[in-house]
Amino acid sequence: MQPTKLPIYQAQQIREFEQLAEERFNISSHVLMQRAGRAAFDFLIRRWPHAQKIAVFCGGGNNGGDGYVLAYHARQRGLQVTIWQVGHHDRLKEEAKYALNACREAHILMNSFNEKADLEHPDVIVDALCGTGAHDLLREEMVSAIRRMQRMAAPILAIDVPSGIDADTGKVLGAAVHATATVTFIGLKLGLLTGQGIAYVGELINNDLQLPAELFLDIKPVAEKIQLNAYQSYLKPRARDWHKGLSGHVLVVGGTSGFSGAPRMAAEAALRVGAGLVSVATRPEYAVAMNVDRPELMCHGVTKREELEPLLEKADVIVLGPGLGQSDWSKQLWAAVCEKKLSLVVDADGLNLLATMPQQYEHWVLTPHPGEAARLLASTVQAVQDDRLAATRLISQRYGGTCVLKGAGSLITAPNSLPALCDRGNPGMASAGMGDILSGVIGGLIAQGVPLADAARMGVCLHAMAGDLAAKDGERGMIATDLMPYLRRLSNYTGQG
């Protein structure tokens, strides 16, 4: 069975593993390079068993050395191999130089890459240009090689990291390889699982290079990749004498002109994951329509904060913000909710109002997309996306509670716990209302007694998996309410996947 939580590292931590492997187990960098190149080659022939012509692009560092090892094994297998050298190779480290010399002795064809090089049409291209060491904008010769690789219309296997992707953040360093598959080594890298990087990786395989298991006890990961079965204990069957009062009461506050659908979707999502009671506080003109469409909801028209007070008294958790707006009415309701000090899930305009009236609170889950995160941090979307983990940490520190940074490779950061990452989900979920559904899911879980941080992690997994099930009918054209039947199915989860 696949582990429910997998450690995620940054590049410096991988280098520490390599150093510890040599110091404690006498596993040299030469041995690790040989294992890496062989592991990448073994994957290549499994993934493309009919490939005969291989083009290997090698940079001037250890990632290039991995490429030389792969090229050597490909030649030994009888494949036609061409190596294209990019950058300076006169300062290679000893282990990479050894691999290069082995290729020369095997009479593998080597060429220095330039824009006018006559590249044939290989069956598979191997990217061994940069690896984990790239954190600044790539040199022009690297950019040129990457662009040429992309024009060759062959599948690309990236060794360790697609060249041009920052292994720590997923940021594109001017240009990057769109890999068909990536074989990464020792441990998963954060930049392969979130931000822009996730779009360049393709199929991702991790190979631990046969390092002893006890070695991984010495370095704390930067985050962990989570799956829904890590939280299966919260989804156990209910006792036969269960009643709705045991499943909690969610209050959704929001819904201004043009956005009445947002609280409606959040409210139904809370019901679909098992909340016992769900109320909605919205503008009076929308309350009746919500009841017609979903009569299980208790919808209340609210014109001022005094009318909200009785609803707050009955709630176990409040979802604040879907379609709320930023009018005087919105601000009144926002202030009344925040003063009550209940468990909160804050989304959409709830976050935008928080950015203008900042405060700290321990018992809330903040669920920004990158634009809302930028406003909370008085920053820019680009800065948030350039280091998503740093953004979640800073939001959690500045405002308290748990932060869910939505997007490809959603990140969840809570005080005194390891950040979590969910790499499920798909581009079809980039449509209106998906965030409202997520806020309702998290609120519904909190109402059932799931601790806030776990509700955030579990809710992100539920939401993403429901999106993946809905996408089986196609990503394009998928809408937020398509997730509803799958939320119900997954909330009765048995532990697979």
Side-chain angles (χ1 to χ4, degrees), residues 324-344:
L324 181 64
Q326 300 183 54
S327 65
D328 289 341
W329 173 83
S330 312
K331 292 174 182 176
Q332 282 189 57
L333 270 56
W334 186 89
V337 169
C338 291
E339 288 172 12
K340 196 63 180 175
K341 301 302 181 183
L342 292 169
S343 295
L344 301 179

Side-chain angles (χ1 to χ4, degrees), residues 255-272:
T256 192
S257 178
F259 298 95
S260 61
R264 156 69 179 76
M265 288 186 286
E268 183 177 346
L271 280 176
R272 291 297 185 186

Side-chain angles (χ1 to χ4, degrees), residues 127 150 155-159 161-162 176-182 199-203:
D127 163 31
Q150 299 293 167
I156 300 175
L157 173 62
I159 295 184
V161 175
V177 169
H178 277 276
T180 310
T182 300
Y200 288 78
V201 170
E203 179 184 357

Side-chain angles (χ1 to χ4, degrees), residues 8-63:
I8 301 170
Y9 301 98
Q10 292 187 311
Q12 178 56 40
Q13 294 175 300
I14 299 299
R15 288 189 283 273
E16 291 172 11
F17 277 124
E18 293 170 347
Q19 183 176 347
L20 285 174
E22 183 155 18
E23 292 174 356
R24 293 179 51 191
F25 298 97
N26 200 30
I27 303 173
S28 67
S29 54
H30 170 76
V31 169
L32 290 176
M33 182 173 289
Q34 292 296 316
R35 290 178 181 179
R38 181 57 192 254
F41 172 69
D42 288 346
F43 174 80
L44 187 154
I45 58 174
R46 289 196 307 271
R47 181 68 167 77
W48 296 282
H50 303 297
Q52 292 297 315
K53 297 170 63 176
I54 311 296
V56 185
F57 284 73
C58 293
N62 278 0
N63 193 240

Side-chain angles (χ1 to χ4, degrees), residues 140 179 196 218 350 354 356 418 449 456 460 494:
E140 183 55 40
Q196 291 175 288
D218 292 339
L354 177 61
T356 64
L418 193 63
V460 168
T494 59

Side-chain angles (χ1 to χ4, degrees), residues 312-371:
L312 296 176
E313 294 296 330
K314 298 177 181 179
D316 297 306
V317 57
I318 301 170
V319 178
L320 175 62
L324 181 64
Q326 300 183 54
S327 65
D328 289 341
W329 173 83
S330 312
K331 292 174 182 176
Q332 282 189 57
L333 270 56
W334 186 89
V337 169
C338 291
E339 288 172 12
K340 196 63 180 175
K341 301 302 181 183
L342 292 169
S343 295
L344 301 179
V345 181
V346 186
D347 188 35
D349 278 317
L351 296 167
N352 293 327
L353 290 171
L354 177 61
T356 64
M357 297 177 280
Q359 58 180 279
Q360 276 205 339
Y361 186 49
E362 181 181 353
H363 299 292
W364 60 18
V365 178
L366 309 179
T367 61
H369 58 54

